[in-house]
Amino acid sequence: MFSFAYQFSKPILWGWIFFIVLGSLSIWLANYWLGISTAIELRKISRERLSLYDATLLGELDKYRYLPFVLSGNEDVKELLTSFRRDPFFANKVSKYLAEMNNKAEANVLYIMDKKGSTLASSNWQDKTSFVGHNYSFRPYFQDAIEGREGRFFAIGTISGIPGFFMSHPVYEDSSIIGVAVVKVNLTPLQQQWNDGGENVFITDENSVIFLASKKDWLYKSLRRIPLEQLQKLQQIKQYGTSNFDILDINHVSVPGDLATEIEGRRYLETTQEIANTNWKIHYLVSINSITENQRTIVAIGIGVVVILLVLALFIRERRQKVISTRRALEAEKMEDMNRQLEIEIEERRRTEKELRAAQDGLVQAGKLAALGQMSAAIAYEINQPIAAIQNDVSNCVSYLKNQNDQQLNNSLNEISSLTEKMGMITAQLKNFARKSSMKTRPVDIVKAINRAGYLMQPVFNTQAVRLEINIASKTILVSGDEIRLEQVFVNLYRNAIDAMKTTQGEKVITINTSVTGQQVNVTVSDTGTGLEEHVVKKLYDPFFTTKLNSESLGLGLSITYGIIKDLKGEIQASNNPDGGACFVLSFPHYIEK
Ligand code: ADP
């Protein structure tokens, strides 16, 4: 599994917050929309149901509406109402007729009242709760009929205690009212039907008293407080028996997109409709449980989706993180490998460099030896001369000694001394030249190196009739280096110049010019030799490149020179003089003493 212990960067944290807010908003909107749409749907269904119940109720009442009218036209009824004797047998006969009618019509009770409201005949004349002999003049339906109108009234029976709808019609005899015919319709089965159907329906009268309800508990309760005057009137006409007209525990609460009615703690959507030709109102209640259930479902689904998306996002993030860390680990491993490889390569390079340096030192040494070889003839000549002179002087000294010529002896000994000194200088220089360099750098006077190289090469210059012309910018010019190696550079350049001038006619001159420009020391070595051919310039510094055919020329001179100059952080450039001969320009960083 994955861990949630993430370190979120700021943009990612905002992304999560945005996602959660958006998710919550979507759930809330879906919840609201579902509430509205379910309420609209329920309202539609409620209206349809309401119309149906209204029609059923009216149909039920209309079914019996004709009965009082039919009774009012019956001759026996009229005779009963007009006879003074009030014959009980005749009254029973009429009651029997009424009972038959009632059976056929399936009404509740049919009865006839005289002008004063006393019941003369009734379909229930044989029952314990017979209406016969009772006076109902206080009932509004009687009062309506006696005044020539059709009466309509819902009330609880004063004797039977059974609620019913009373419909009355006046009975005429020669256009004067002699009594009233009444049918009582029992609406209890209708209530039962509603109850059986699991519906919540009730009907209120003009006082907002519930007189028909699918729930018995609601019966004869009022939706609002009844004014005292009205209450007294209700008690007087005994419409709802001894009812207290308690107020139904009813509240109105708002739900998404609608207003719900809360009755005894339960919430309903209430739809009402006036019942035609009455002061009644039919109320249809549908539980909003389905709304809340749907909403709960959608909220649960929404939360589930958001949570799944969150978990999925975290999972994807975790996977990505893993891929990234694996990739990073691989990259780190690769880097480590590369580093190791690099270290090996650096080590290799160092070793090669060391070897190269050793090889170069070897080459310098070889070059020196080659130069020594080449120079040996000239040196031998140069040394032979003083030796011959010394021999001569020595023999002269012997004769001076014999003749006691002290002055001459002294002169000869002085000459011998100066000749040996010269020879000593030559050999000392050669020793110096042949010695291996220490590789250590220190401030060195380049003018000295130029002169010493000239001095070293002097015997060769003499034999080859070469003139060395040195033009120096100042007495000492310091560069950072090693004097032996620097000397070697000039010896090599002089040697090459001498070789290049061997075959040329005219004066053989090597000209040295030094200059100091800012931080740089420049030395030009030019000769009056053959100059450099183009193909030679390209390979000039290549080791073992030579155009000379003699066995002493190894082709190492310039490559060694180049290496030394580079070691001293200098540059060398070769070109030809405009009036012939080669010209080498050397430049070194100027060493300035602090
Ligand atoms: P080597 O002197 O043994 O030939 P170098 O490396 O010193 O080797 O010189 C390489 C070549 O450069 C020489 O063979 C020669 O052809 C050319 N060269 C060097 N210096 C001069 C010069 N001053 N004038 C003409 N050619 C030169």
Side-chain angles (χ1 to χ4, degrees), residues 487-504:
E487 223 175 275
Q488 172 78 48
V489 166
F490 291 106
V491 167
N492 285 349
L493 292 173
Y494 295 165
R495 264 180 52 218
N496 280 341
I498 293 165
D499 288 344
M501 291 186 295
K502 257 182 191 159
T503 52
T504 53

Side-chain angles (χ1 to χ4, degrees), residues 303-317:
I303 291 173
V305 168
V306 168
V307 168
I308 287 170
L309 286 176
L310 273 173
V311 171
L312 208 70
L314 282 172
F315 182 71
I316 290 169
R317 203 183 127 83

Side-chain angles (χ1 to χ4, degrees), residues 197 241 283:
H283 302 248

Side-chain angles (χ1 to χ4, degrees), residues 292-306:
T292 44
E293 264 163 31
N294 282 354
Q295 282 175 324
R296 254 181 234 141
T297 311
I298 201 95
V299 168
I301 291 172
I303 291 173
V305 168
V306 168

Side-chain angles (χ1 to χ4, degrees), residues 495-497 499-500 527 530-532 536 540 545-548 553-559 582 584:
R495 264 180 52 218
N496 280 341
D499 288 344
D527 59 54
T530 50
L532 300 159
V536 175
L540 212 53
F545 170 75
T546 180
T547 55
K548 298 166 195 170
S553 299
L554 300 172
L556 292 172
L558 283 180
S559 69
F584 288 86

